[in-house]
Each structure stands twice: as structure tokens, then as C-alpha cells.
Amino acid sequence: MHVYVSAGIIAAASLINTDVAWAQASPEFTKCAWPVELSPEGSGNFLAPDDRARYWLMPFDTAYQTMEIAGAYPNARYFSFVAYDGDATARPSDTAAVHLYDTIIAPDEPSSDTPPADASGNDSFTVYITREGTTAANTINVSSNYAWVALRMYVPSPDPALGGQALTGGVPLPTVTLYGADGGQPEVLEPCPLPAPPEGDWYPVRSVNKLTDVNSFLQVLFPPGFELNQPRDYDEPAGDRLWFAPPDKPPIVLMPNPDNKYIIMIPGPYQPGRLIVIHAKAATFSSAYAGPPYPAPGSEDADMRYWSVCNNDFALPISTVRCLTDQSVVTTDGYYTIVMSDDLVRPDWLPADVNWLPWGDEQYPKLIFYRHMIPVVDESEYADIPFAYAIQKVVVGCYEDACIHPEATIKFTLPDLPPRAEVTQAGPYVQEIMGDYYPVTAWCDKSTFESGGWEACLAE
């Protein structure tokens, strides 16, 4: 297998396997671009991925000075590049000061000598991740430590041609070129999976998320002995009313997206014979698929770029059960209702105008994430966001440890999970800021919902 290997053993390893060509002490990955993909599909279902998005990860070895990422603008609602600096063990420890999202990524200069980036004819771009400390456009600076680069893509557009690139916005994933500090020969990496070998009738299955790659990444995030620690109140039945509240800073080990902010809800253990009912006003979003230019024309008056509600199993490696997203949620007069129940399929007694989320396996504790996406260059811009009821408004100032609403935020630092009591205490303050857009939530008897709907379940 082609892998990145330890700098300390590369000379010896290359004597054994000539395919082994480049290095880092730990971890090891297949030698192609974007070897790890976070998604609700297959072995990539970890770190709570949104199921209307895909996240591709590229390791940035300390043996290299600059990473060049060259691709075509995808046809999607949103895409971005975010880099995360690692600590001495390569574990993500900080988000790079700059991230690049679609509207601020400058296209390549047109040239008659340069062919289109791909068959779509979409403009091409080039992004640089570097340790050189430059202020050039389309550049993210990282430290001298091991780093990680995430390519995120939300709501790719439908592909009428069924060209096989529906999840990547109708274009191939970008090519990655790595440059060493010594000015030697650059390494050009095509997107995973690796091509089939030229000879032989049998060879390893070609896929992204090879088990060795996923294991290498998860062992960096969650080394042996790492366990999530839950407060005792997670195992205590919750009262009827449930609350959402935002972390002042999301845990860096979850590699949060700087363009998203989250509120979380802790439902406690499943209560037999009961449902969770959520009701709120729906934020508006662009109904058009984007693609260049971003955002889509006509979306200027939308409240935000994207929003979703996701149910997650909050045990390692933190998998997603199911999400409801802005585009899929059914609304009535601008409001939506969600019911969570212990069913494998949507129950037939649920009215058509009510949205459904499955509880999933009762043996896993649950954590509900509600996200608002509003891309900004820097979190200092949150106070100026036009939409007054965004989650971002709740955490203004928190990025520099100066929250203007400290009573409305919680601490969320893994491996320790936040006590449900802290979320309950902060929730009413969050509701004051978010108004009708706050997801009012409660446990409710099934019979109460069937007789009186969400109104009966959420009656104060």
C-alpha cells in the first residue's frame, strides 16, 4: 500500500518498499489526495457529519513547507477550506487564523494557454496552505507542526447528466501538490482512491476511507485511553422541558467549521412511550443551488446560507443518526415541527406536515446539534450580521474570551461533556436572543401529541 511513513524510518522503509516515498512520524496515510472523507456513509461516519454535506481531510506533513490545492469551483450551496494546526502528537489543537470560503476564494487568472479546470467549464482556483507566513491571496498559514486541511462542501447541486460526481458538485476533487522546504521535486497527488495497478487480476478494493487511513486519523483524535466523560445527570430522566444552548467555543478536536455556530440539546436517556417535540420558526435560505458565483443570485435577502438539526450518537467516534435540513424541512406558515421517536421508519400516525427524526439505537447517549451557517471572514463580524436571531448573535465576543452574553453559553471541552444542568440554565437566555427561531423542545406523551399536536406538548 502507498502510505506516508515516519521520517525517522523512511530510509529503511524505502529499501523494503519502493512505493513508500514520503514521511511523518505519525500518522500514516495512503499516498493520494483527500484520503479521509467524513460522511454518514460507511466508515466516515464520525465527528458528527451533517448528512447534506461531505468533508474531505488532507494531512499536511511537517516534511513539507507548502501545499498547493488546485481545482474547479463546485456547483454547491457552499464550499470552504479550513486548516487545523496539530500539537506535538498531530492532534488538532487550534484553527488557523484564516479560513477560505467560496466567495473570498479568487479564481485563477484566465489564460489562453490554460485549459478549463474540468469538463464542467467552471472556473479554476488555486489555494495554498503554507508555513511561510505570507499574506498572499488564497493562502492559509499554519504552524511548523503537523496540520490538517478540511475541504467542506454543502448541498451539491443535482447532476442531470448523472456524471458520477454528484457529491463533489459536478467537478473532481482538487489535486494536491506538496513542496518541501529544500526546494526538491514536488509531490503531485491525485484524489483518492488510487488507480488500479497496471497488472494482476486481483488487487485491494479501491475506495476512499481505507480502514488503515480511518484508524490512523481516529487514533490521533482519540488515542488509547481516551474516553468521553459524561456527567451523572446524563443518565437521569430529563424533565419535560428540554433546552438548547451554544458552546462558547466548540471543542477543537471536533474540527468545527468557522462558518457554522451550534446550539446543543441533551435529551437524557430514552423515555419509553414518549416523544421529543421541537417547534420553531424556520430561517430563510437560498433555494437556488449555487456554484460560481457564490452565493447563488437572489439569495442576498436570505437569513443565512444553511441550517440543519442533527441527531448524533454521543459516544466515540460520534456518529450521525440522521439530519433534517433547511431544504428538507416541511413548514406551516413559516414554522416547523419535528418529532423524534423510537422507530426505525417514519411512523404512519405522524401527520404529513410534521417532520421526523429517528432516535436511533437506545444504547447510545444522544446529543442534538442545531447549526446556523453564515460565512464571515472573522468572528469579529458576528455583531454586524444582519439576521438578528442567528446563533452567531449569541456567541458574539466569545472567540476572544469576551462573550457579551456569557449567561447564554456553556463550556464544552472534551473529553468532559457539559452537564445538562448547565444547558438548562443557559437555554432561556438563548431563547431571549433567538426569539421565535429558538427550537422550543419537550418530552411529550405520544397520546398527548396525537390529541393536541405540538401545542399540547409545548404548552407552558
Side-chain angles (χ1 to χ4, degrees):
M1 176 179 291
H2 302 250
V3 293
Y4 309 96
V5 299
S6 167
I9 64 171
I10 184 165
S14 61
L15 294 176
I16 299 170
N17 181 357
T18 56
D19 289 336
V20 174
W22 52 296
Q24 163 63 8
S26 177
E28 299 178 356
F29 290 95
T30 304
K31 189 182 172 185
C32 53
W34 317 108
V36 176
E37 177 187 351
L38 275 64
S39 81
E41 183 176 353
S43 59
N45 192 353
F46 55 89
L47 299 189
D50 190 312
D51 64 15
R52 288 298 176 95
R54 293 295 184 271
Y55 317 71
W56 292 270
L57 296 178
M58 183 68 202
F60 189 24
D61 191 303
T62 56
Y64 296 90
Q65 187 74 1
T66 299
M67 177 189 297
E68 178 186 276
I69 302 171
Y73 288 90
N75 300 307
R77 182 99 66 88
Y78 163 92
F79 84 102
S80 70
F81 294 96
V82 181
Y84 302 88
D85 284 314
D87 60 17
T89 68
R91 196 165 187 251
S93 60
D94 197 13
T95 305
V98 171
H99 73 288
L100 299 172
Y101 58 90
D102 40 43
T103 60
I104 62 175
I105 297 175
D108 294 335
E109 291 291 333
S111 169
S112 58
D113 298 328
T114 304
D118 73 293
S120 71
N122 289 3
D123 288 344
S124 64
F125 64 83
T126 306
V127 164
Y128 298 91
I129 316 298
T130 184
R131 310 184 197 279
E132 296 178 350
T134 179
T135 58
N138 284 11
T139 299
I140 300 174
N141 289 289
V142 295
S143 74
S144 59
N145 288 347
Y146 203 101
W148 305 88
V149 180
L151 163 58
R152 289 179 171 88
M153 200 175 300
Y154 279 71
V155 197
S157 62
D159 178 11
L162 302 180
Q165 295 175 330
L167 297 181
T168 58
V171 300
L173 286 174
T175 296
V176 171
T177 303
L178 295 162
Y179 298 87
D182 59 2
Q185 186 69 21
E187 299 275 355
V188 179
L189 303 179
E190 296 296 330
C192 300
L194 292 170
E199 298 178 354
D201 293 332
W202 296 86
Y203 45 84
V205 170
R206 299 175 56 248
S207 75
V208 72
N209 280 351
K210 300 296 286 186
L211 189 58
T212 52
D213 293 333
V214 173
N215 283 342
S216 291
F217 182 62
L218 289 177
Q219 286 172 16
V220 170
L221 294 182
F222 312 121
F226 184 97
E227 286 286 351
L228 298 179
N229 299 318
Q230 69 174 53
R232 188 166 297 277
D233 67 2
Y234 274 49
D235 287 330
E236 298 170 355
D240 285 352
R241 184 63 192 272
L242 298 170
W243 295 92
F244 283 83
D248 58 354
K249 294 179 180 179
I252 186 62
V253 72
L254 298 185
M255 304 178 80
N257 182 357
D259 292 324
N260 285 339
K261 285 301 172 186
Y262 314 82
I263 51 178
I264 65 170
M265 184 264 285
I266 303 166
Y270 182 74
Q271 299 184 17
R274 309 196 81 200
L275 317 164
I276 290 178
V277 179
I278 304 172
H279 186 77
K281 188 172 184 178
T284 61
F285 62 96
S286 173
S287 59
Y289 286 93
Y294 298 89
S299 65
E300 296 83 359
D301 295 330
D303 296 329
M304 59 190 59
R305 188 79 72 90
Y306 177 84
W307 64 266
S308 67
V309 181
C310 294
N311 180 21
N312 304 282
D313 288 333
F314 219 72
L316 297 180
I318 313 176
S319 300
T320 297
V321 179
R322 192 79 56 83
C323 295
L324 288 170
T325 68
D326 49 22
Q327 197 171 44
S328 64
V329 165
V330 176
T331 61
T332 301
D333 297 326
Y335 288 78
Y336 64 86
T337 300
I338 298 171
V339 163
M340 289 182 62
S341 69
D342 184 29
D343 294 286
L344 287 176
V345 297
R346 179 188 171 97
D348 55 11
W349 49 263
L350 205 61
D353 60 352
V354 173
N355 304 278
W356 176 70
L357 274 177
W359 178 269
D361 192 328
E362 302 91 339
Q363 297 178 88
Y364 291 105
K366 307 300 177 186
L367 195 71
I368 315 302
F369 282 96
Y370 178 34
R371 60 171 54 81
H372 281 176
M373 177 189 285
I374 302 178
V376 294
V377 173
D378 187 86
E379 291 191 25
S380 63
E381 300 178 24
Y382 284 173
D384 300 321
I385 288 174
F387 184 54
Y389 308 102
I391 297 171
Q392 284 80 349
K393 294 292 190 181
V394 184
V395 295
V396 170
C398 292
Y399 74 102
E400 54 183 1
D401 298 320
C403 298
I404 67 169
H405 301 294
E407 72 286 351
T409 65
I410 61 171
K411 298 295 182 183
F412 190 0
T413 55
L414 296 180
D416 296 337
L417 303 178
R420 195 169 66 214
E422 292 183 6
V423 179
T424 299
Q425 182 176 359
Y429 297 105
V430 184
Q431 185 175 11
E432 288 181 13
I433 299 168
M434 294 183 64
D436 288 350
Y437 296 88
Y438 183 83
V440 180
T441 306
W443 279 104
C444 183
D445 293 338
K446 178 187 174 185
S447 59
T448 301
F449 180 83
E450 287 184 306
S451 62
W454 68 265
E455 296 93 339
C457 291
L458 300 179
E460 295 290 341

